Amino acid sequence: MIIRPRRLRRTPAIRDMVRETSLSVKDFIAPLFVKHGQGEKEPISTMPGQYHFSVDTIVKEAEELWGLGIPSIIFFGLPDKKDATGSRSWAEDGIVQQAVSAVKDRLPEMVVITDVCLCEYTDHGHCGVIKDGKVDNDSTLELLARQAVTHAKAGADFVAPSDMMDGRVAAIRKALDVENYQDIGILSYAVKYASAFYGPFREAADSAPQFGDRSGYQMDPANAIEALKEAELDMEEGADIIMVKPAMPYLDIIRRVRELSLVPVAAYNVSGEYAMVKAAGMKGWIDEKKVMMEMLISIKRAGADMILTYFAKEAAGILNY
Ligand code: PBG
């Protein structure tokens, strides 16, 4: 007798019935870039379909995403000027702070998350302050905490530190609590690899390091056990949600972190993953929409509870159809 798994694949309805993993618009967190100006919606060349918004147009974009059922967005800011310490990152009238309060004004229920890091705001492009030619961990913590507090004050629901300094979750938690933002959560980029897949984002956010690279603070792509250590540390320090980044080349890490984590696990389907699909799609080499959906369901199947993805809007269009 032949054992026949194909019986469960015979019709679309049977396949629907036995499907193990599902994808929903509720899984998505849409990344958005905000810059100064008015009425701006400027295409990002390295990420077709993504834009630099000004505060007024980003509110419209957030409304559209909310209308599609996407519950959450995460902001990245392009400041008007950069300096050695990234001081525009904690300015109360900073670009992200403005965008958060404008969106929260219009859409109080939408989950607004902010990326907390210095690299977009420093003239050297590193995620921390430089001392003796090196990225200095402990003096960076205070600046990150200060930035997080201004995001909370503007109305953010979660702050998402992406800098990979040691001890930053604890430092941010403490600062938020002292300022009475006990209810504001931390989505920690707990497991963040030193990845070339961030290339298109660094173009978009103008945040490439001006010397050296990020291997002194972001993780070595060869390491998995270390990922578990990072995840555990961030949970101990008080992270409410932990993230693995990038997603597609690190599905094994998402699975292992999911198995160990007692908090929700997010995965970041990063700019390079997006750009590769877009580029091959534009060439006619792949069916872009099918590849997109397969990629997203694979990230879910690996164990992600939520996905940060530039595909959010496009995929929502398909899921809602
Ligand atoms: C900032 C930050 C980066 C990304 C998110 N936050 C870039 C980096 O670490 O160099 C990458 C996101 C993407 O590639 O989509 N530290």
Side-chain angles (χ1 to χ4, degrees):
M1 192 194 64
I2 299 177
I3 302 201
R4 297 187 189 278
R6 285 185 58 188
R7 269 183 217 121
L8 297 182
R9 301 177 199 140
R10 194 167 52 85
T11 70
I14 295 175
R15 292 197 291 274
D16 279 348
M17 185 177 78
V18 300
R19 186 162 299 121
E20 297 173 33
T21 309
S22 64
L23 190 64
S24 154
V25 291
K26 304 295 174 209
D27 298 328
F28 298 150
I29 299 171
L32 295 175
F33 297 92
V34 61
K35 62 167 187 171
H36 289 272
Q38 256 269 313
E40 304 267 2
K41 184 179 172 183
E42 201 183 301
I44 297 172
S45 62
T46 52
M47 301 169 71
Q50 301 300 308
Y51 301 87
H52 286 135
F53 295 96
S54 50
V55 172
D56 55 330
T57 58
I58 217 164
V59 171
K60 279 196 210 119
E61 184 69 11
E63 279 179 322
E64 262 184 62
L65 295 168
W66 182 250
L68 287 166
I70 296 167
S72 179
I73 50 181
I74 178 165
F75 284 137
F76 296 93
L78 290 99
D80 43 2
K81 56 179 194 290
K82 300 175 189 258
D83 58 25
T85 56
S87 64
R88 291 302 291 162
S89 72
W90 61 82
E92 291 199 1
D93 64 347
I95 191 64
V96 164
Q97 290 81 353
Q98 286 184 40
V100 169
S101 68
V103 168
K104 273 296 188 179
D105 251 13
R106 191 68 72 85
L107 300 163
E109 287 170 75
M110 191 165 204
V111 182
V112 174
I113 306 172
T114 56
D115 186 81
V116 171
C117 196
L118 297 184
C119 64
E120 294 126 71
Y121 304 89
T122 50
D123 47 20
H124 46 73
H126 276 290
C127 303
V129 286
I130 307 294
K131 254 191 198 164
D132 305 325
K134 286 199 244 74
V135 177
D136 187 63
N137 196 89
D138 296 10
S139 52
T140 301
L141 297 181
E142 189 213 332
L143 307 184
L144 295 168
R146 212 185 284 179
Q147 184 184 152
V149 167
T150 60
H151 291 172
K153 189 168 182 194
D157 297 291
F158 289 87
V159 293
S162 67
D163 51 280
M164 287 301 274
M165 297 301 119
D166 294 332
R168 93 275 208 201
V169 172
I172 290 172
R173 185 68 269 160
K174 190 168 158 213
L176 289 173
D177 288 352
V178 166
E179 300 290 333
N180 268 316
Y181 295 113
Q182 290 89 348
D183 293 339
I184 304 310
I186 299 176
L187 188 171
S188 166
Y189 288 66
V191 181
K192 178 172 177 177
Y193 287 92
S195 173
F197 284 87
Y198 308 152
F201 172 98
R202 289 184 191 163
E203 267 310 298
D206 187 26
S207 67
Q210 298 304 302
F211 64 90
D213 58 28
R214 303 210 202 289
S215 323
Y217 42 106
Q218 299 180 347
M219 282 180 53
D220 182 337
N223 294 353
I225 295 165
E226 191 185 356
L228 306 183
K229 176 180 173 182
E230 283 284 5
E232 206 159 86
L233 275 175
D234 280 15
M235 284 189 280
E236 275 167 25
E237 289 182 33
D240 300 280
I241 302 172
I242 56 177
M243 194 204 292
V244 175
K245 174 185 175 193
M248 202 171 53
Y250 298 88
L251 295 177
D252 58 322
I253 307 297
I254 295 174
R255 165 55 48 195
R256 290 179 72 169
V257 168
R258 176 58 286 166
E259 276 163 11
L260 144 148
S261 173
L262 299 177
V263 300
V265 175
Y268 200 142
N269 179 217
V270 301
S271 57
E273 300 172 58
Y274 176 82
M276 289 193 306
V277 174
K278 284 284 165 190
M282 282 156 71
K283 287 256 190 198
W285 291 348
I286 57 169
D287 181 331
E288 186 186 316
K289 299 230 184 296
K290 283 195 175 147
V291 168
M292 162 181 84
M293 296 310 276
E294 184 175 333
M295 200 156 135
L296 294 169
I297 199 77
S298 301
I299 297 168
K300 274 298 287 291
R301 191 200 60 238
D305 299 298
M306 56 198 88
I307 309 172
L308 287 82
T309 179
Y310 303 98
F311 286 120
K313 195 175 183 181
E314 234 179 298
I318 291 175
L319 292 169
N320 289 338
Y321 179 69

